[in-house]
Amino acid sequence: MMRYDVVIIGSGLGGLACGAILAKEGYQVCVLEKNKQIGGTLQTFVRDRIIFDSGVHYVGGLDKGQNLYQLFKFLGIMDKMKLRKMDEDVFDAVLFADDPKVYRYAQGYPNFISTLVKDFPEEEAAIRKYCDAIKDVCSKFPLYNLRSGDYFEKVGVLEIDTQTFLESITSNKKLQNVLAGTSLLYAGVPYKTPFYVHALVINSYIESSWRFVDGGSQIARALSKEITSRGGKILKNTKVVKLKEEGGELTYALTENGDRFEAKLFISNVHPHNTLEMTESDMIKKAFRNRLRGLENSISTFYVNIVLKKNSFRYINHNYYYFAENDAWCVLNYTQENWPLGYALFFTASSRNDEYAEGVTLMTYMRYGDVKQWEHTFNTVSNEVSRGEDYEAFKKEKTERLFDLVEKRFPGFRQAVETYYVATPLSVRDYIGTDDGALYGVVKDYREPMRTFISPRTKIPNLFLTGQNLNLHGVLGVTVSAVLTCSEILGTDYMIEKIRHA
């Protein structure tokens, strides 16, 4: 039996950030990770000597003084990052099938506005209104702005959806679709996804956009060093199967190997529903368990990670979002016959070559139901199992269809492909631990804002939650969630003060 001050279940960004914060405060921390590699969606993998990200392809808000910069500085990792700033005049490019024009998102609000106004000269007032609204919404979220505040500040901006807002500022359908053009970043659903989700995500990229050179796993490595250098432990291949409450408090975490980890405090970076499924306690009411069980998870993904032939495809320092219809929400509405209806294209940033791309990642949506026939299989690096020839044929057929769509806008792309590696919703499920391979956690709905806000506190006083399902996904969203979780332990004002003066 092992005893610590804090046991953290899951080494995704939320778990590692909580671990680093509490280790700095003198807590003896132990992080338990079921996989061979730490980091959750920060994990990278190497194919043919090329590093690919499993989830984090670019990040915003890392210019000096911006929110993620300050959070990383507070965590002690900002100076450890290898970064490449994306093109100032285009960090994201939005493309539509029947339109040859490339619509550009530029960094910095004045640049963002002037760039879009060139394409929509009659719509300057609407574009300015859009930017003002994003900044106004973001200002209502205290922790996002690294200050203290309360829930009531944001009440007024929770109950409008993104598409309705876009229709309120302009009747120009093309501009509406261009402004919704990065909806794949948050699994956006028209007339459902709250505008605040769109605003919080887009704002940080407009402020500044960056790629991690040689992969985003450097965040996980840097945070793990912050933990272990202060005497903390990170144990891999250690899957927690039970959390046991006795006498009104959680007393231990039990692993599948039968090891017991005791602690004063427990933090779960696992999906809240799965956390409660393994928690043995009458203190968690059935109604609350049912509420979490009833939450809708976001759609999953189909990734193709491509190793390119040497010097065959120039490195492009921005991303592309392509839509097969003149509708930025259309990718969600695919059928088996017309899949895929769009994709995001991300270039890998390598320290070896910044003239030619070594690898690219293609991402599109895929529902868990599309791979459900193979759900009885489980396959990770530490537990390699073949899902069968029919699964391999499924992946190949889907990849060919995706390549056909890419080739339409990028002729010669297929010729540049050396080899490729595919991840489906089952890959996400097995590595990240969500039952249905959900990419962005719990779906947010503007009609029920309170239903999808999950408190880091639970009815068991020494069990806390963290991660992308609490408030917002992504590197920034999850880091803020970790601060929120640790604020419940250390105090919000104390945390804010330490972050601001880091």
Side-chain angles (χ1 to χ4, degrees), residues 119-181:
D119 290 325
F120 299 96
E122 309 297 315
E123 297 289 336
E124 182 171 353
I127 293 165
R128 289 188 179 279
K129 195 170 182 180
Y130 168 80
C131 292
D132 288 344
I134 283 185
K135 289 187 274 190
D136 180 58
V137 167
C138 291
S139 73
K140 302 287 198 294
F141 286 75
L143 268 186
Y144 185 88
N145 294 284
L146 309 181
R147 62 176 177 79
S148 52
D150 60 41
Y151 169 79
F152 295 102
E153 279 189 64
K154 45 188 155 179
V155 167
V157 297
L158 297 181
E159 295 182 356
I160 181 170
D161 74 272
T162 304
Q163 180 59 19
T164 298
F165 169 76
L166 294 175
E167 289 171 354
S168 77
I169 60 166
T170 178
S171 58
N172 187 312
K173 292 288 184 195
K174 181 52 64 84
L175 178 57
Q176 289 172 16
N177 283 306
V178 168
L179 294 175

Side-chain angles (χ1 to χ4, degrees), residues 322-334:
Y322 175 90
F323 301 95
E325 300 174 2
N326 283 312
D327 176 9
W329 308 100
C330 71
V331 189
L332 274 173
N333 302 320
Y334 72 85

Side-chain angles (χ1 to χ4, degrees), residues 21 74 483 486-487 490-499:
I21 291 166
F74 162 67
V483 169
C486 291
S487 295
L490 302 169
T492 303
D493 291 342
Y494 176 80
M495 285 284 293
I496 296 293
E497 198 66 20
K498 294 214 74 160
I499 294 167

Side-chain angles (χ1 to χ4, degrees), residues 164-230:
T164 298
F165 169 76
L166 294 175
E167 289 171 354
S168 77
I169 60 166
T170 178
S171 58
N172 187 312
K173 292 288 184 195
K174 181 52 64 84
L175 178 57
Q176 289 172 16
N177 283 306
V178 168
L179 294 175
T182 56
S183 60
L184 277 85
L185 278 175
Y186 49 88
V189 182
Y191 306 111
K192 183 173 184 175
T193 299
F195 181 58
Y196 82 83
V197 170
H198 174 92
L200 293 174
V201 171
I202 298 302
N203 174 70
S204 65
Y205 289 112
I206 294 175
E207 287 188 336
S208 67
S209 292
W210 307 77
R211 282 193 178 135
F212 291 107
V213 177
D214 300 331
S217 61
Q218 56 184 290
I219 304 174
R221 289 196 301 273
L223 288 171
S224 70
K225 283 180 185 167
E226 291 296 315
I227 294 168
T228 55
S229 68
R230 291 169 172 80

Side-chain angles (χ1 to χ4, degrees), residues 109 235 359 400 483:
Y109 275 100
L235 303 177
E400 291 298 323
V483 169

